[in-house]
Amino acid sequence: MVDDVEQVRHEIRFALNQLRVRNGQHEFETLTRMLARATVTRNLLPATGPVAGGGDQGRDFETFPTQLPGQVQRIGCDLGVPDRAAVGFACTLQQDGLRGKVRADVAEIVASGSEVEFIVAYCEADIPVARRHAIELDAMERHQVRLAVFDGNAIAELLADRATFWIAETYLHLPARLLPVPVDRPDWYEEDLARWRADGDAIDTMGRLLDLAGCLHYACSAREGRPDVPFWLERLESALEPGHPRPLRRRALYECVAANIRGLGDLTPADDRAAEYLDDAIAATDAQELSDASVILMYMTAALARGRTRHAEEAFHAWNIGLSRRVEELLNADPPPGAACVLLDTLGWLRLQPDVVTANQTEDGYVIAGEITDMTSEELVAAVAAEELTAVTVPLVDPEGAIDAYTRLVDILPDAPLFPVETLGKVLTMFTPVLVDIPGYDQVVDAIDARVATTIGEATAANNALDRCQALIAVDRRVAALKQLHRARNGLFSGDARQQMVHATLATSIAYRDIGLYMAAKQYAFAAAYLSDNADAAQHSIGLAYAAFADYHQGSWCSAAHLDCEALVSHRLLAERPMDFNEHDWLTGAFFELTQIRSLARKAGDPYLSHVEGVIGRYRIGGFLDELLDGAFEGRPPPWFENIKLDDHVHRVVEDLGRPPFGDTTEIRHVRFEALGVTWTVVFRNLYADSAIGERFAAALQTVLAHLADEDLGLLPMRRTVYVTALHAGADFETEETLSTPEESRLSVSLAGVGKLTQESANLVTRDTLAAVMAAILGVSTLSQERLQSIVVGALEDHLLTDISFAVPYDVLWHSIVSEASFDARPRNTKPLSAPEATSAEPHRELAAPANSGPGYDPDRSREEIEHRYSDLPSRMGPTLDALRDDSAFADVVATLRDEGWLDWQLLIAVHNVAKNARHTFLAPRSPEEARELQGRFMAPEPDGDPVSTNLFTAEALRKALLTTVTLSAQTWWSLVLRPEPLPSAAVLELLRVRYGWNEDDVDHLDPFVRPAVAVE
């Protein structure tokens, strides 16, 4: 074989010249006809008739009429030869008078025989470019026909291509040594290709078809095989002839359609074949045939998106419906479990295909730009991962129906132990962003992962979960991705996959910090360091650095400085090329944090300065920090934090992080964050035992909130503060609601430490921690206790306990990394540099306050209640309402409140409340009978002619009145459970406004504050 392509071309060019020397016109004509067939158009016939008598009408060969589209090959497309065009060909070995020879051939072709639209001429002689262009232009001007001329050099270059070299080898009798070296083409393929080129027999058995199909699959999937696809398709034609057994012909149709799309990127040549295949499949009785048809339909849909088919969107819709109905018909016939699994798998796949009819009605439609047929499968995956290729957003046929089909599949999966689920697992991964929010998705994924873990291994199931995680991150669904990451990490908790597990644990830490839950991020960073301490020292350093990152971003700067120094020292001792910032990208963050911490400590002075400098000095990295800064800025101005005053520096930190710096140096610690509409604050004493337990509770609270983020907890938008106290190991945990305010609900929690680590002690503290967390959530949830308990049970089935305490409980991680001596050496009695209770970072988008309809909301019920208020309340306060209608000051109050967004029924409620409270002095009822009597008096109509003074109905009075009644409305209209004491009226009103239509729902009504017009007879 020859490595140099130019050498091959020169050898071919020499052999072409020798044809002229030996007057080999016939061989040249045959060679060029085969070359034209392979590169210009496939529908060629040799011209017949005595040449001397003009029997060939000047055409050495020509196209024959065909209704089969897609005959035009790559170079024909490049030349602009239209589909189904009539093309004439001429070839000559003549050297002298070449322009006249070509002009004569063109004139003869145009003057006789069937009309042609395009002419291709092959000449052995070399023709300068300008002269060739002149010849082609002459044909257009004289005969209005397009001409393309290939000279000797051009022919030699085409024949040097590996896909067409066989033509040169056959008709120029080239030596075998000239065969161009294949690029990464396997030996078996080269041998099979040579065998099939020499085999002219028809494909009339399934064995021969499968033999060819293997080669065709390789040619479609590998770039190096793509030039051979036309050859394999041509050889496949004999299997498509009528009269062959149905199974043989159906398989040949499948291969033909798939190869045109996957190998050539164009369905048009096989449009008729594809329609025949799918029309036949709609009546199939075999489950596998329907499965194959669903795959072909998806291939065809991709061709539609690229404009590479003549079929209309409606045809795709009809095929999908037809195949789906046929699947359901076969399912209704109660097939065996294995066949039922295949059918349900097919049904799910059909429902996940693009809804091309709906997509065509959207502004962008379903369009895929660019060609990808030149990319291998591995390159496609890499391009998607690098975001060089992105998924096209398109509506699907029926995603909910797909989950329903897969749910039915997993129900019968135990009865089909040999049904392979690997492909289904990949489908679920591919469509994760679309399916993840559909009820039942998690159960389907769990069942598939369990089967994969059993049949292939837990590591494979975990990798599937990691792939789903990446798919969700790609569409910025980080909270949903976190669940998949938890599943993956838990599935890797074994000795065989320990390193993968540590990587997944670090990834979990990153996931939590990406959504702003830094205490949970710190826990998983600690866990990674703990798990890798003896097995992988490099990962241990990264775990410490990630924990430092979390502490830095939540204002625990003393802890961050210690952890960063620990990480850097461990890293410098154990890593190769430890200061390679490209290889160890976490170093940049660690050094930035330390320089920032040291800079502010120098401004603040002692005790911050002496402690931070002591830590940095103890680890001997102060000089290195100075060198790093000098090298990074090279005489330029220092970073912003080096030359601003203390107050400005603190303000900038609070503005950036949402937390005050050095928040872990005060007597009382605050872990403050926002999630799901609530501002959560965990408060504990800055003591060794209390810090471990307080951080454990805060990490668990963040983990649970992230886990339940896709559930609707009906949380009140208010502050929830939890005071945590450490108990000795083995003590019973305690929770108690403490004195709260209408704006802040408070809970006291006491939790025991782990003590001696056993499985039992670990489980106990984890369960107690979860119970305390749920008490904190319950206090601001408007759900019933039974509903919330049901949500928790579902979360426990999804391994929530493991997520709260992965590997070991938090305090064990804390004690393994933070010694009591180093902790006690920190400043712990300073005044806060900024008020810790006044700031918190903005929540991540997926943890923001819900804005969808709240639990139990029903717009019809809302309108019924509103209509009742319009009809009922005016009759209960007729005299007062009449007086108010005539009061100009009250008219101004109504205008003001309407400008604030008040609706008339809300005004009526507030007016009624002010009016009734003015008439009645309420005392606490001493019995149920007395309570009913008081309520009856309150709701009774006013006495005639006795209005309440209009002076009482100020804007402020009405605002207060509405607040006092809004909690009752929330309870009676929507059955919301309100637990905080005193009742948080403002939070309830905000909840109703955002999630219960309070500001939008209304019905047609007359203005209740304008006297009705009196009819005149």
Side-chain angles (χ1 to χ4, degrees), residues 182-196:
V183 181
D184 296 330
R185 281 161 57 125
D187 291 342
W188 68 264
Y189 179 77
E190 295 296 336
E191 293 168 0
D192 283 0
L193 180 61
R195 173 167 55 83
W196 276 98

Side-chain angles (χ1 to χ4, degrees), residues 514-584:
D514 284 348
I515 57 175
L517 299 181
Y518 292 109
M519 197 57 78
K522 180 178 179 180
Q523 176 177 353
Y524 275 91
F526 271 176
Y530 179 87
L531 292 168
S532 61
D533 193 7
N534 297 321
D536 190 337
Q539 299 304 314
H540 177 76
S541 300
I542 296 174
L544 294 176
Y546 284 7
F549 182 97
D551 268 341
Y552 176 85
H553 280 77
Q554 56 191 348
S556 297
W557 279 20
C558 264
S559 176
H562 277 266
L563 292 169
D564 268 330
C565 288
E566 288 273 5
L568 289 170
V569 169
S570 170
H571 176 70
R572 292 181 71 185
L573 290 174
L574 300 170
E576 295 183 12
R577 296 185 297 174
M579 292 301 107
D580 186 333
F581 282 69
N582 292 323
E583 182 177 349
H584 310 292

